[in-house]
Amino acid sequence: SKMAGRIGLILCLLSLFSGILAADQKFTFNQRVNHFSFLDQRTYKQRYTVDAEGWVPGNPIFIFLSGEAAMEFFEFQEVEGRLDAKRFGAQWIVLEHRFYGQSIPVVGNSAPYSIDGLQYLSSQQALADAAHFIDSYSRDQQLAPETRWVVWGCSYSGALSSWFRLKYPQLVIGSIAPSGPVYAQTNYSYNGWFQKVAPPECVSNVKAAIGRVLADLQTQNGRNQLQQAFNSCTPFSPNLQDNWNFLWQLTEGIAGSIQFHNPPGWPMNVTCDLMGRSGYAGDNWQQVLISQGAAANGQCTDFTVKGMVNPLTNTSDSDRSWWWQKCTEFGFFKPSYGGDIFFPELIPLENIVGLCQQIFGIQGMTPDVDYTNAYYGGYELAGSNILFTNGYYDPWHLLSINQDIGNVKAVTYAAGHCAPMTAVTDQDPQSLTDARTAMYKFLGEILAQ
């Protein structure tokens, strides 16, 4: 209720000023549904958390922009940021992204993820959310005008973080942008990175398994064996091309293990060990999918396109949000190419782009990546006081910034996605430790300016 919100805000103000706000209090903020129409005054409840323990007026505020999930999901990728906040006596605020978690702008009587609502889901609206939040929070908390804000993120929200500094440089003094894919691309060679970074023996084991799967798809006995190994809910089609979604899911299982090739689990090593076992290739591959959370023991998997699309046509399905952003702004689609080891030419881009039209019912729907890159600059990010960190094993570094460009800095390390933001382990390579040190030094430099 509004009254509870007001009481909450008053309590928040009192506790902030007395410096005793306990770790991670959750609040909601009346956020605008549409920042780009003066005539549209509708609002929605956007969630945020504040950890102001140890903060005193005049100290900095670090704001972490959540990405394409509920804000709680990102806690494992905030560990280092929260530690840095403590080191600099900063508040740590997390702002949930519109249309994820519980921050849903419900438009009229429409379902939460209907097109009537999703038309208000874009990175531009999300950045404007953060700007409006910072502006309002500064006023409500009566912060000194010289209070310094630093924006953070990771992955998609790492790109958001860099774009926020680019578009709203007067609101934040700098940005930390771990694994931020700033270049929108429809035809993205994510899967091809596996063969460049995995050990040669592992690549040849995977190649052999691919050959076996393709051979088995050509015969009835083989298809039966595959159906059993992968616990497919339906039989595979005798027409090879009809099985493209199955092949795509298999590919994602293996390529995904390099994205998060981080200590202490090192999932690429797990994948390579499983694919190197004796026995039927399909059984080994299924164990990879299970280890990646892409399949569940004792539960059949629906590998059909229909099985994937049908739930996504339900306007109450929260997975529509990220598909909407991929299908309108970013692409980030992962087909197979002629040079890739993964089922070359059998996972065509046209099929993946075609899912957009099937999911949203918009004829010929295709992402406008040219506009996205023109709006933000793609690889030519003309910002300042931005630090990118990228992992060599992570395919997303291919769409990010890996070398300094003027006042946009970059550090790389020998692990996967967003690793410098996760908890320190006793297996961290030196380059990862150095990346965390670089973040700390960068903060010291921009806060001293």
Side-chain angles (χ1 to χ4, degrees):
S1 72
K2 279 187 180 165
M3 181 53 86
R6 281 201 200 101
I7 292 167
L9 184 60
I10 290 161
L11 289 173
C12 167
L13 285 167
L14 290 172
S15 54
L16 269 178
F17 291 136
S18 55
I20 54 165
L21 185 58
D24 269 25
Q25 298 219 18
K26 288 189 177 170
F27 305 100
T28 59
F29 169 70
N30 282 332
Q31 184 60 270
R32 294 188 61 177
V33 169
N34 181 9
H35 296 276
F36 306 121
S37 167
F38 177 76
L39 301 176
D40 191 340
Q41 293 298 317
R42 293 171 298 177
T43 61
Y44 74 97
K45 297 274 186 218
Q46 184 173 31
R47 285 200 305 163
Y48 67 99
T49 64
V50 180
D51 177 357
E53 211 171 1
W55 179 84
V56 293
N59 279 13
I61 299 181
F62 294 173
I63 182 167
F64 181 91
L65 304 180
S66 289
E68 69 283 24
M71 62 183 179
E72 291 82 2
F73 171 82
F74 299 96
E75 286 168 6
F76 78 105
Q77 292 170 333
E78 294 171 34
V79 175
E80 190 65 19
R82 286 172 179 271
L83 288 171
D84 280 337
K86 293 285 174 250
R87 289 167 185 139
F88 287 98
Q91 278 188 42
W92 181 261
I93 295 178
V94 179
L95 186 65
E96 189 165 67
H97 195 299
R98 57 169 57 209
F99 287 97
Y100 298 100
Q102 292 168 32
S103 299
I104 313 295
V106 177
V107 179
N109 298 320
S110 54
Y113 307 99
S114 66
I115 290 172
D116 288 345
L118 290 175
Q119 65 176 318
Y120 301 108
L121 170 56
S122 67
S123 56
Q124 289 98 315
Q125 293 277 13
L127 293 176
D129 279 347
H132 187 218
F133 174 83
I134 290 175
D135 190 40
S136 302
Y137 188 83
S138 299
R139 277 202 308 272
D140 292 343
Q141 307 292 333
Q142 297 172 6
L143 297 178
E146 59 274 12
T147 302
R148 293 148 304 158
W149 291 71
V150 178
V151 63
W152 297 65
C154 148
S155 193
Y156 158 56
S157 84
L160 276 183
S161 167
S162 70
W163 294 333
F164 191 82
R165 168 64 186 166
L166 174 74
K167 295 294 184 183
Y168 299 94
Q170 79 285 8
L171 292 179
V172 292
I173 60 163
S175 152
I176 290 196
S179 303
V182 293
Y183 186 73
Q185 190 172 49
T186 308
N187 207 353
Y188 166 35
S189 58
Y190 177 94
N191 303 322
W193 192 244
F194 174 81
Q195 68 219 53
K196 296 190 170 69
V197 295
E201 188 189 357
C202 181
V203 174
S204 61
N205 287 337
V206 170
K207 268 187 185 163
I210 289 166
R212 182 63 197 268
V213 168
L214 288 175
D216 285 347
L217 282 171
Q218 321 275 2
T219 70
Q220 188 57 56
N221 282 347
R223 287 191 294 275
N224 293 345
Q225 196 176 1
L226 286 171
Q227 186 181 352
Q228 198 179 348
F230 289 101
N231 201 2
S232 172
C233 302
T234 53
F236 293 113
S237 168
N239 179 1
L240 194 56
Q241 276 71 22
D242 289 346
N243 300 302
W244 74 269
N245 189 49
F246 166 60
L247 302 178
W248 193 32
Q249 301 313 313
L250 296 198
T251 301
E252 291 262 287
I254 289 189
S257 68
I258 59 170
Q259 175 177 333
F260 284 105
H261 190 53
N262 289 334
W266 297 117
M268 181 182 75
N269 300 349
V270 175
T271 292
C272 289
D273 290 347
L274 289 167
M275 294 303 281
R277 286 182 179 175
S278 57
Y280 181 49
D283 292 332
N284 297 343
W285 208 320
Q286 172 69 348
Q287 290 308 308
V288 170
L289 296 186
I290 289 168
S291 76
Q292 290 286 306
N297 266 320
Q299 206 177 319
C300 76
T301 305
D302 191 339
F303 289 108
T304 63
V305 173
K306 201 171 151 191
M308 183 170 112
V309 168
N310 278 1
L312 289 166
T313 60
N314 178 348
T315 51
S316 298
D317 189 328
S318 60
D319 288 341
R320 282 167 65 87
S321 293
W322 186 233
W323 272 100
W324 178 264
Q325 291 199 262
K326 288 193 293 185
C327 290
T328 54
E329 298 189 81
F330 301 127
F332 295 158
F333 300 134
K334 306 164 187 171
S336 67
Y337 292 84
D340 288 359
I341 59 168
F342 292 106
F343 311 108
E345 316 304 338
L346 288 171
I347 310 169
L349 178 64
E350 297 69 36
N351 290 18
I352 304 176
V353 174
L355 295 171
C356 295
Q357 181 174 317
Q358 292 178 58
I359 292 166
F360 297 108
I362 297 172
Q363 202 62 36
M365 188 178 194
T366 185
D368 193 349
V369 294
D370 291 340
Y371 175 75
T372 302
N373 291 327
Y375 185 79
Y376 294 119
Y379 293 121
E380 312 293 316
L381 191 78
S384 64
N385 287 4
I386 299 169
L387 175 68
F388 285 88
T389 64
N390 276 296
Y392 168 70
Y393 288 94
D394 178 17
W396 289 103
H397 86 269
L398 301 169
L399 300 183
S400 188
I401 289 172
N402 302 288
Q403 289 175 323
D404 292 359
I405 334 169
N407 283 328
V408 176
K409 305 296 179 193
V411 293
T412 56
Y413 54 86
H417 208 54
C418 294
M421 293 293 285
T422 58
V424 170
T425 78
D426 58 6
Q427 294 183 38
D428 295 349
Q430 186 59 46
S431 58
L432 177 52
T433 305
D434 292 346
R436 290 193 182 101
T437 306
M439 293 193 327
Y440 175 73
K441 281 177 69 176
F442 171 80
L443 287 165
E445 283 163 16
I446 61 171
L447 287 166
Q449 281 172 10

